[in-house]
Amino acid sequence: MDGVGAMTQRGDARIRELKEAFPRAFGADPDGVWEAPGRVNLVGEHTDYNDGFVLPFALSETVQAAVRAREDRTVRILSGQQEDSAKVDLDALARSDALQPGRRVSGWAAYPVGVLWALEQAGHRLRGMDVLLGSSVPTGAGLSSSAALECAVGLAAAESAGIELDPLALARMAQRAENDYVGMPCGIMDQTASTTGRQGHALLLDTRSMQLEHVPLELERAGLSLLVIDAQAPHRLVDGEYADRRRQCEEGARTLGIESLRVLTDQGTTPEELDVSVEDDVVRRRVRHVLTENARVLEAAQLLRDGDPAELGEILNAAHVSQQEDFEITVPETDRLVETVLQAGAWGARQVGGGFGGCVIALVPQDAHEAVVAAAASQAERRGLEAPLMLTAEPAPGARRTA
Ligand code: ADP
Ligand code: MG
């Protein structure tokens, strides 16, 4: 298992490498390096766009942006993770016609350019800059490398221009980039976790009031670790399915005559009451997931306040079943992996992220750690796959300047 010391050292090495690579790419040293973390969500899946509760934490894995300001309004962006580069003019971004079909940047660069676009659209005047990106967040694995990328670039761009943005404002800019520029209708959780994370804490976020509470997450002290394992599920048409779920939740709220599904939690509605009030079976199950999931988040937060993280196991298991049966966003690969790690001694496990693949998180007591790792690896081997990506998730700080 990685100690925090080892993590920090690796982080330092990453920053050093990025600073060394910068002059090779752009001919001069960077002014600074900013980084923003990916996140893992303990519980609270698909609740954020229903005005509900989530309980994520920021990871020690980050996207880093090394930046050198320019005298003009040109932004050039390179990524160590990508072959192609991007070049945009901030004046064009500030004019909405930059969003005409064919004029919008596509591919990976839409994330960083999108956040520049959102900042310019909000009236912030940025400086031109050269940007080199590095990352230790696995992409497309449900750990929100996209939000980490947006937040790292957003913070770097703002601070390079002398603009002060509080963490929630930065999160909103990043979300706007993903919603309106990339075209992914995500909620506010990922970006908020990335900007407001705190070492050793999970974040209880009420996405309606944006009230947040940092609750201690002391796994090591309880003899536990939270393992993130990539289920290596083949790519599926995730965006369409995500939007479908969102629409079904909106339909549920309309049927019930409420503003959002969160209201059910305020009203103390029980799952049984839904059986009578929502006729459509699919919509009812979608609504039930959101209702029970919000309850699980609040229960989990209370367990953490009470210093009782071992009890999280049951909540993770119930959350997985709800995602599987009611929200129907799991896939056979994640279902099997959850079963496998539970058999190997994990106290709880569930698929994390938007769904249809991605990673599984497992709450693992120290004495079962090796068995769980081995079981996940041999399951992958039986499928003819490489050993899956696995990491021990440790609650780390949010977006910041690091060099
Ligand atoms: P997740 O957020 O779960 O990792 P997404 O599909 O939302 O998955 O975002 C992944 C996408 O974000 C990648 O396909 C790529 O376009 C972009 N991305 C993430 N990190 C980087 C990076 N370091 N450099 C360039 N693009 C990145
Ligand atoms: Mg994402």
Side-chain angles (χ1 to χ4, degrees):
M1 229 181 305
D2 278 306
V4 175
M7 287 281 185
T8 313
Q9 227 171 30
R10 274 219 309 273
D12 289 349
R14 275 198 309 264
I15 303 290
R16 208 172 40 244
E17 271 170 36
L18 197 65
K19 282 170 81 173
E20 281 167 12
F22 196 94
R24 291 198 292 276
F26 292 118
D29 287 332
D31 302 332
V33 181
W34 286 259
E35 62 184 323
R39 63 93 190 94
V40 70
N41 190 17
L42 273 175
V43 66
E45 225 59 88
H46 289 261
T47 47
D48 63 350
Y49 58 77
N50 288 299
D51 274 354
F53 299 96
V54 292
L55 191 62
F57 64 86
L59 294 168
S60 40
E61 286 71 21
T62 63
V63 168
Q64 311 95 36
V67 170
R68 181 181 175 84
R70 298 166 55 101
E71 293 309 316
D72 58 13
R73 293 258 291 160
T74 297
V75 176
R76 294 190 294 176
I77 312 175
L78 285 173
S79 166
Q81 277 67 45
Q82 304 283 342
E83 295 287 313
D84 55 330
S85 62
K87 186 174 174 186
V88 290
D89 174 38
L90 289 169
D91 291 323
L93 283 183
R95 295 190 299 267
S96 49
D97 71 352
L99 281 185
Q100 290 299 308
R103 303 201 56 180
R104 189 195 304 224
V105 174
S106 62
W108 68 270
Y111 296 90
V113 170
V115 79
L116 305 177
W117 169 80
L119 285 161
E120 285 282 340
Q121 291 285 311
H124 298 297
R125 197 171 160 83
L126 302 175
R127 295 183 66 176
M129 49 186 187
D130 291 330
V131 183
L132 178 62
L133 299 167
S135 176
S136 57
V137 188
T139 57
L143 300 177
S144 218
S145 67
S146 57
L149 173 55
E150 292 149 11
C151 294
V153 170
L155 188 64
E159 292 193 355
S160 294
I163 298 160
E164 259 185 58
L165 276 185
D166 68 64
L168 288 183
L170 174 61
R172 285 211 186 282
M173 291 294 131
Q175 183 199 18
R176 172 131 206 250
E178 191 145 346
N179 288 170
D180 298 341
Y181 198 89
V182 177
M184 168 64 180
C186 62
I188 191 69
M189 169 173 70
D190 301 350
Q191 292 80 6
T192 308
S194 186
T195 62
T196 69
R198 184 181 294 175
Q199 182 144 6
H201 290 75
L203 178 78
L204 172 62
L205 174 67
D206 179 338
T207 63
R208 184 171 62 191
S209 65
M210 287 307 282
Q211 203 172 1
L212 46 96
E213 177 188 343
H214 290 102
V215 285
L217 178 61
E218 295 175 323
L219 293 170
E220 220 174 292
R221 236 170 70 182
L224 293 164
S225 62
L226 197 76
L227 205 58
V228 181
I229 311 167
D230 186 359
Q232 306 187 84
H235 183 73
R236 289 173 174 84
L237 290 172
V238 178
D239 296 4
E241 293 278 3
Y242 187 98
D244 271 356
R245 294 303 181 282
R246 214 178 153 140
R247 268 194 302 275
Q248 289 159 344
C249 289
E250 282 161 11
E251 194 185 327
R254 254 197 318 277
T255 306
L256 290 157
I258 51 179
E259 198 178 304
S260 72
L261 296 184
R262 152 65 183 279
V263 173
L264 296 173
T265 303
D266 302 336
Q267 291 174 341
T269 305
T270 65
E272 294 71 32
E273 282 166 338
L274 293 178
D275 293 345
V276 253
S277 48
V278 186
E279 216 169 280
D280 184 279
D281 174 59
V282 171
V283 174
R284 181 174 56 243
R285 285 184 291 123
R286 304 298 185 252
V287 174
R288 188 165 57 200
H289 166 76
V290 174
L291 174 62
T292 58
E293 187 81 347
N294 275 322
R296 282 185 287 272
V297 172
L298 296 176
E299 197 187 331
Q302 191 54 46
L303 288 173
L304 296 187
R305 287 189 202 105
D306 295 344
D308 220 357
E311 300 293 319
L312 285 176
E314 287 303 312
I315 294 182
L316 297 184
N317 292 336
H320 188 80
V321 171
S322 182
Q323 297 189 97
Q324 188 178 18
E325 294 179 357
D326 282 348
F327 222 62
E328 295 180 283
I329 55 169
T330 70
V331 290
E333 291 88 344
T334 53
D335 291 339
R336 267 201 305 274
L337 187 55
V338 163
E339 242 171 73
T340 299
V341 297
L342 290 178
Q343 273 163 14
W347 285 356
R350 72 173 193 90
Q351 175 191 284
V352 284
F356 311 99
C359 288
V360 159
I361 54 169
L363 187 71
V364 184
Q366 247 144 36
D367 59 3
H369 189 86
E370 267 176 47
V372 169
V373 168
S378 70
Q379 175 165 316
E381 203 182 315
R382 279 197 302 280
R383 290 170 60 202
L385 300 171
E386 302 265 304
L389 169 128
M390 289 189 227
L391 57 93
T392 301
E394 287 168 4
R400 63 222 178 247
R401 182 175 184 161
T402 37

